[in-house]
């Protein structure tokens, strides 16, 4: 049935008016300059910011340009994409040691995954054992159209983050780690407000999560690479193909060992410094591969097949036991962990199927 829908949609898009819906404007967000940066200009939003931290294995630059991906409307983007080509068990688990990269599926009966493979952040939080620590690595909340460093959240994005925080109310203090971009700082602050925290949180800036962790090239070059390869879905199609199918060694690091390296060099290195619960707010270009990795490629983010992309405030929960053995659960802070661009397009243009 979806094949017929694709054909019908392809025939209709050229005659339809483009819509500039903020949610349905796909992008790849990250730092994009290859030049070295002075990190002192990272903005701080209405809260104290801790000293920046990063691993010695990667030092991504922080400059951001709006040319990372063309700002197509949902209609235009679907035209490009279309002209180209049950229930899941919860999470995966791995013992992260210097010599270990094993991954074992782990089922927790109290956690329910939706049809796309995501559990709610609140359910995972409530299921944690007293001796477990968790880092919730999520994409920022809904932003304005631009993807500059200073781009802020929309009013809806502010409410989304506060609503997520309201599901996480408790007496314990959280740590908040961000990429330093305004929208990630705002997301952390609004989650804190939603939790009812009396003061604005101290935000810890981590430069490893600005977006370049999995890239061998700049993010701005990603769209050019996709065009050169003939991929009509631009950067996000290229990234989805790499995450699920591998390849493109000139563009990306191999996903699993690179993700394992992040767990070692960033998560475990800093876990003792953070509270029992850490909210880490980053960008889609970083969070999407981690969600695919943590689910052993079972999470439904195959944009190259079904036009799904990582939603705002969705990502991966990294859970450590007392021995620092890690397990992973894809998480969502909103109703869905995915943005379904085909469904948005069909709803936008009142395309219905029986």
């Amino acid at each position: 049935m979806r094949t017929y829908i694709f054909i019908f949609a392809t025939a209709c898009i050229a005659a339809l008016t483009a819509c500039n819906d903020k949610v349905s404007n796909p992008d790849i967000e990250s730092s994009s300059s290859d030049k070295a940066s002075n990190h002192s200009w990272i903005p701080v939003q209405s809260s104290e910011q801790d000293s920046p931290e990063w691993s010695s294995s990667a030092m991504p630059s922080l400059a951001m340009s709006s040319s990372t991906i063309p700002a197509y409307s949902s209609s235009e983007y679907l035209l490009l994409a279309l002209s180209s080509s049950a229930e899941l068990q919860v999470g995966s688990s791995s013992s992260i040691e210097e010599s270990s990269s094993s991954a074992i599926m782990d089922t927790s009966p109290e956690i329910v995954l939706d049809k796309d493979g995501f559990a709610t952040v609140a359910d995972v939080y409530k299921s944690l054992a007293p001796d477990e620590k968790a880092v919730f690595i999520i994409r920022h909340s809904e932003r304005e159209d631009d993807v500059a460093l200073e781009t802020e959240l929309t009013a809806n994005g502010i409410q989304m983050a506060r609503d997520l925080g309201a599901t996480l109310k408790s007496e314990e203090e959280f740590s908040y780690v961000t990429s330093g971009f305004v929208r990630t700082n705002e997301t952390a602050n609004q989650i804190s407000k939603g939790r009812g925290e009396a003061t604005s949180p101290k935000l810890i800036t981590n430069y490893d999560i600005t977006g370049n962790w999995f890239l061998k090239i700049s993010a701005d070059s990603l769209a050019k690479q996709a065009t050169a390869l003939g991929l009509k879905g631009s950067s996000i199609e290229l990234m989805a193909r790499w995450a699920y199918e591998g390849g493109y060694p000139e563009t990306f690091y191999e996903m699993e060992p690179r993700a394992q390296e992040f767990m070692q060099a960033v998560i475990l290195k800093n876990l003792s410094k953070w509270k029992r619960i850490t909210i880490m707010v980053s960008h889609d270009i970083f969070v999407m591969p981690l969600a695919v990795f943590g689910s052993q490629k079972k999470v439904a983010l195959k944009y190259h097949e079904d036009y799904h992309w990582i939603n705002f405030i969705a990502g991966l929960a990294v859970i450590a036991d007392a021995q620092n053995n890690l397990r992973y659960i894809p998480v969502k802070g909103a109703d869905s962990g995915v943005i379904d661009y085909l469904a948005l397009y069909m709803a936008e243009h009142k395309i219905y199927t029986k």
Side-chain angles (χ1 to χ4, degrees), residues 6-68:
F6 291 173
I7 295 171
F8 179 70
T10 304
C12 292
I13 292 174
L16 295 173
T17 303
C19 172
N20 292 318
D21 188 294
K22 292 182 177 67
V23 178
S24 61
N25 185 11
D27 58 54
I28 291 287
E29 310 163 342
S30 78
S31 56
S32 59
S33 172
D34 290 322
K35 299 178 182 179
S37 300
N38 182 338
H39 304 296
S40 62
W41 53 269
I42 290 295
V44 181
Q45 291 298 109
S46 67
S47 57
E48 182 181 359
Q49 191 123 6
D50 203 355
S51 300
E53 60 185 25
W54 60 86
S55 72
S56 59
S57 62
M59 183 62 170
S61 57
L62 296 176
M64 179 67 177
S65 93
S66 59
S67 62
T68 303

Side-chain angles (χ1 to χ4, degrees), residues 3 13 26 29 36 97 133 138 157 160 229 238 254 257 266 292 297 331-332 334:
T3 300
I13 292 174
E29 310 163 342
E97 300 174 354
K133 300 184 76 171
I138 59 172
M160 288 172 65
L229 292 170
L238 175 57
E254 189 177 348
V266 179
V292 175
K297 302 185 178 180
V331 291
K332 59 181 181 180

Side-chain angles (χ1 to χ4, degrees), residues 121 125 134-139 164-165 168 174-178 184 187-189 191-192 195 197 203-204 209 274-282 313:
V121 173
Y125 174 50
V135 181
F136 292 94
I137 308 173
I138 59 172
R139 185 185 180 188
L164 172 56
L168 302 174
F174 284 13
S175 291
Y176 295 88
V177 180
T178 78
T184 64
T187 300
N189 282 328
I191 291 172
S192 172
R195 293 192 69 236
E197 296 179 11
L203 303 183
I204 303 168
I209 66 171
W274 300 337
K275 307 292 185 183
R276 190 178 81 98
I277 305 299
T278 298
I279 304 294
M280 179 178 283
V281 189
S282 183
I313 56 175

Side-chain angles (χ1 to χ4, degrees), residues 151-305:
T151 300
E152 299 180 343
L153 299 183
T154 63
N156 185 55
I158 290 172
Q159 190 61 54
M160 288 172 65
R162 286 189 183 180
D163 288 347
L164 172 56
T167 69
L168 302 174
K169 286 186 176 180
S170 68
E171 295 300 318
E172 69 177 317
E173 295 182 3
F174 284 13
S175 291
Y176 295 88
V177 180
T178 78
S179 69
F181 285 51
V182 170
R183 56 189 174 274
T184 64
N185 290 347
E186 287 184 340
T187 300
N189 282 328
Q190 295 303 327
I191 291 172
S192 172
K193 286 184 179 180
R195 293 192 69 236
E197 296 179 11
T199 59
S200 296
K202 177 185 289 187
L203 303 183
I204 303 168
T205 302
N206 188 292
Y207 298 130
D208 288 310
I209 66 171
T210 57
N212 285 340
W213 183 266
F214 290 98
L215 298 181
K216 292 182 178 180
I217 62 176
S218 71
D220 277 345
S221 299
L222 208 55
K224 297 176 183 178
Q225 179 78 353
T227 300
L229 292 170
L231 301 180
K232 301 300 183 181
S234 194
S235 303
I236 60 177
E237 179 181 350
L238 175 57
M239 192 151 208
R241 288 182 180 276
W242 159 76
Y244 283 95
E245 300 172 358
Y248 309 105
E250 72 288 350
T251 305
F252 301 101
Y253 292 99
E254 189 177 348
M255 184 177 67
E256 182 167 347
R258 188 63 169 163
Q260 296 280 17
E261 182 183 353
F262 178 78
M263 299 304 164
Q264 280 286 342
V266 179
I267 299 298
L268 290 180
K269 178 182 176 181
N270 293 291
L271 202 58
S272 63
K273 306 174 189 176
W274 300 337
K275 307 292 185 183
R276 190 178 81 98
I277 305 299
T278 298
I279 304 294
M280 179 178 283
V281 189
S282 183
H283 307 267
D284 55 356
I285 195 173
F286 176 71
V287 174
M288 181 269 187
L290 285 181
V292 175
F293 157 77
S295 69
Q296 297 186 335
K297 302 185 178 180
K298 292 180 172 61
V299 74
L301 294 172
K302 296 183 178 181
Y303 183 87
H304 56 302
E305 293 184 3

